[in-house]
Amino acid sequence: MKVSTRSAHRRSRPSIRKRWLMPFLSILIMSSSAILTQTVSSGASSGSFGPAPSGYPIESRCQGMTVSSHVVFVGQEVIGHTHGGICGAAPKDVEWAWSVVPGKGVKGCEVDGTYCEYKATASTDQQYTTLCIDGSNVQGAWESCDYYGVVGDGQGVLYGYVVDKDGGPVAGTTVKAYGAHGATTTSGSDGFYAMQLEKGKYQVEPSGGPQGKASPSYTPKVTSASVEGGKRTEANFILDTSIELKLKLSQSSVVANGYEVVSGTVSTTQYGKPLAGVQVQLEVQPGKTPDEAVTAGARASICYNGSRVWPTSTLNSPDGYPVTVTTDSTGHYDFTLTVGTTPGSWKLDAWAFNANGKLSTDVTAASDTQSVAITTNGSSSLGGFITELDTAAKATTFSSSLNSNATSANNMVTLLSQTTKSSAGGISFGGLDYAMTNAKDGQTMLIFPEGQPPVVTGAGVIQPVSSNASDLVYDPAEWSGAGLPSTVVNSASLAAVVSSGQLTRLPTLAQFDAGASVPGWTTVNGDQLTLFSSNYQYLGWGYPSSTAGACY
């Protein structure tokens, strides 16, 4: 499984499809339905360049290089251009030299030069040759190459690309040109094909190629082409299939209690068979910005083998950009969702990349979107929390639990959240969330309304802004028992007070931060709350859980 962060910015689907298909279809030569019965001639001057040389083009991540055209005529320029890589700038971080350059009129081609141009002086006799840059950096030597062929005087060229509906190249398609001096060739790994033909009219037909449950078909099935000497004629074909992607989630609705885990699977097939090793972009809350996907609305983490895949970075510096994952040898990517405590609609979009590493243009087949309704967990309020807690303490079993856990913020978070999830003994604090936080004097529990997680600064500080100034703080280290009514028994013991249902107040976040006087508590001015964990736990996200598939 491979994961990467920040895929290219996602364009709207209709515009991608239109921008790709229209230019491509515009160069498809008009199809003919005629049945082809002629025999392909091996005319002396006609012939196939064959598929691209095995393994070509070669593209180094340090510095790429491409030629402007795979086929040129004698007397025309062969032009190669480099394009930037990830190894840094020349000559400090990376350097390269152009391979031996034949021909005349050489321009550029210097060491670390960004282009190389020269005139083709002789036919390559229906063979391809290559132009390369050979480079090195601190990690060693590397190479980038592209290929081209040179056509002799008086000959014409029929060429084009075979792609699938994803826009990816299709290798191994047989392309035949029927005519007085026809020829046959095969598309290469980049989908390119080319034939050297004499002047004339030809019927061009693709066939064969990738095999699946059904025989491959192409659009157009056959096309007419007119070839002239010294000119190129282009005929492109689309294989009538694409990557098919399906996204499934095990549940469509769960409760926002912080402990729910939803299973998910991305499946990729092509030609009716499982397709392994497909890169898939996962985008959460499509239509929202990456920041909104993490900080607004329903929250759930994507997990793989118990580790978080999305979101990336940290809770105080969140990164909600799409991530890229890869289907396994069976064409599947299995994952889970650790659902948080913030209700709302949570959506996930899965979109396959084609063989060229670009998002498929066939969005109908190669992408899927599913959603989970994360429903509210109850109706308790901050104002009623103390009363509910004191009432619950009068239940014998829960009183015992409170007595055992009251002096630990961590234990109280676990007790209250799990009691809410199970509603054991009819006790529930649903509608409120409980988060572990840190203070200067130790761990604290922050209590806030469901769906209203507090704002966290880049430094990991939870400040009492207007939206969450009334949140409640439970800090065992600041309990004194001072100022409580005389009727409260054993007031110095927080456990005794809480477990007997005698707690009267909790400091608000604003009071805690300001060091305000609150009966039973000794707050300290400036004692800010900070993140207990930056790992997308608590604060609207999921609670730590031993549930199978949970991130934490």
Side-chain angles (χ1 to χ4, degrees):
M1 189 276 297
K2 300 179 181 177
V3 177
S4 63
T5 60
R6 297 191 183 222
S7 297
H9 178 70
R10 181 186 184 126
R11 295 173 288 175
S12 65
R13 295 182 172 187
S15 66
I16 293 180
R17 189 173 180 84
K18 182 177 181 181
R19 293 170 104 180
W20 181 84
L21 282 177
M22 293 305 292
F24 190 85
L25 290 174
S26 68
I27 56 178
L28 289 173
I29 305 175
M30 182 173 296
S31 176
S32 168
S33 60
I35 298 176
L36 306 178
T37 57
Q38 296 179 341
T39 301
V40 178
S41 170
S42 60
S45 299
S46 296
S48 161
F49 277 93
S54 177
Y56 287 81
I58 299 172
E59 188 85 356
S60 169
R61 295 197 308 161
C62 277
Q63 193 79 9
M65 193 280 296
T66 55
V67 297
S68 58
S69 176
H70 288 309
V71 179
V72 298
F73 294 91
V74 172
Q76 291 185 334
E77 282 72 28
V78 177
I79 304 173
H81 286 280
T82 66
H83 43 90
I86 65 171
C87 296
K92 178 182 177 182
D93 306 305
V94 61
E95 58 184 19
W96 63 86
W98 293 87
S99 59
V100 176
V101 178
K104 298 180 180 179
V106 177
K107 299 177 184 178
C109 309
E110 299 94 352
V111 172
D112 300 336
T114 59
Y115 80 102
C116 183
E117 178 180 331
Y118 53 91
K119 188 165 292 187
T121 58
S123 167
T124 57
D125 296 324
Q126 300 177 26
Q127 301 293 318
Y128 288 115
T129 187
T130 59
L131 177 63
C132 301
I133 55 173
D134 301 300
S136 64
N137 68 327
V138 293
Q139 295 179 329
W142 50 264
E143 182 180 46
S144 286
C145 299
D146 205 354
Y147 65 94
Y148 68 96
V150 182
V151 181
D153 292 337
Q155 298 299 301
V157 170
L158 174 68
Y159 77 102
Y161 286 89
V162 183
V163 300
D164 57 27
K165 292 171 70 176
D166 301 303
V170 176
T173 297
T174 298
V175 183
K176 292 184 179 182
Y178 293 84
H181 302 285
T184 301
T185 190
T186 305
S187 61
S189 60
D190 58 354
F192 183 79
Y193 77 91
M195 307 176 197
Q196 179 174 297
L197 299 173
E198 292 190 11
K199 179 179 179 180
K201 296 184 181 299
Y202 298 87
Q203 296 291 298
V204 188
E205 180 187 38
S207 63
Q211 298 298 311
K213 292 184 176 180
S215 299
S217 63
Y218 296 85
T219 299
K221 293 182 178 180
V222 62
T223 192
S224 299
S226 180
V227 176
E228 298 184 24
K231 294 184 178 180
R232 301 182 188 88
T233 299
E234 186 171 6
N236 295 317
F237 299 94
I238 299 175
L239 177 65
D240 296 329
T241 190
S242 63
I243 297 172
E244 293 191 13
L245 181 148
K246 298 295 182 184
L247 171 63
K248 292 185 178 179
L249 299 177
S250 61
Q251 294 166 268
S252 60
S253 179
V254 293
V255 177
N257 59 35
Y259 288 101
E260 300 299 324
V261 174
V262 176
S263 299
T265 300
V266 175
S267 302
T268 50
T269 59
Q270 193 170 39
Y271 319 123
K273 300 178 180 179
L275 185 62
V278 177
Q279 288 191 314
V280 177
Q281 175 182 276
L282 298 181
E283 182 178 13
V284 175
Q285 303 293 46
K288 292 186 177 181
T289 67
D291 183 66
E292 289 172 340
V294 181
T295 61
R299 299 176 192 186
S301 301
I302 302 175
C303 317
Y304 178 83
N305 284 345
S307 297
R308 174 170 44 84
V309 173
W310 183 97
T312 56
S313 193
T314 61
L315 186 55
N316 52 305
S317 181
D319 186 340
Y321 278 89
V323 295
T324 299
V325 300
T326 305
T327 58
D328 62 17
S329 59
T330 67
H332 294 89
Y333 179 79
D334 297 317
F335 62 94
T336 57
L337 305 177
T338 295
V339 180
T341 60
T342 306
S345 177
W346 190 90
K347 293 183 179 180
L348 177 63
D349 178 88
W351 193 354
F353 287 87
N354 64 23
N356 280 336
K358 298 180 179 179
L359 289 170
S360 169
T361 54
D362 188 1
V363 295
T364 301
S367 69
D368 197 1
T369 302
Q370 298 294 329
S371 62
V372 178
I374 304 176
T375 60
T376 184
N377 194 29
S379 57
S380 297
S381 64
L382 286 175
F385 173 73
I386 299 294
T387 300
E388 288 190 51
L389 183 66
D390 288 346
T391 300
K394 294 179 172 52
T396 305
T397 54
F398 193 67
S399 175
S400 176
S401 298
L402 286 172
N403 189 62
S404 301
N405 295 291
T407 57
S408 167
N410 189 25
N411 290 355
M412 285 294 285
V413 168
T414 302
L415 175 63
L416 294 178
S417 60
Q418 290 188 349
T419 299
T420 297
K421 177 181 182 295
S422 64
S423 297
I427 300 170
S428 176
F429 302 97
L432 296 175
D433 291 348
Y434 313 94
M436 279 296 297
T437 56
N438 285 331
K440 291 180 180 179
D441 48 16
Q443 297 176 352
T444 63
M445 174 175 65
L446 180 66
I447 307 166
F448 57 92
E450 178 186 72
Q452 299 180 42
V455 177
V456 180
T457 70
V461 176
I462 302 171
Q463 297 177 328
V465 297
S466 58
S467 60
N468 62 299
S470 297
D471 294 350
L472 301 177
V473 180
Y474 184 95
D475 185 352
E478 293 194 355
W479 176 259
S480 66
L484 292 179
S486 59
T487 55
V488 176
V489 179
N490 200 7
S491 62
S493 170
L494 177 59
V497 171
V498 172
S499 63
S500 61
Q502 299 182 90
L503 188 65
T504 60
R505 294 280 298 276
L506 281 174
T508 66
L509 182 57
Q511 290 171 331
F512 183 85
D513 187 78
S517 177
V518 179
W521 305 89
T522 304
T523 58
V524 179
N525 186 26
D527 191 2
Q528 292 181 318
L529 294 187
T530 57
L531 287 179
F532 171 77
S533 169
S534 61
N535 195 30
Y536 296 96
Q537 296 175 338
Y538 311 110
L539 299 172
W541 299 89
Y543 294 113
S545 171
S546 59
T547 303
C551 278
Y552 318 111

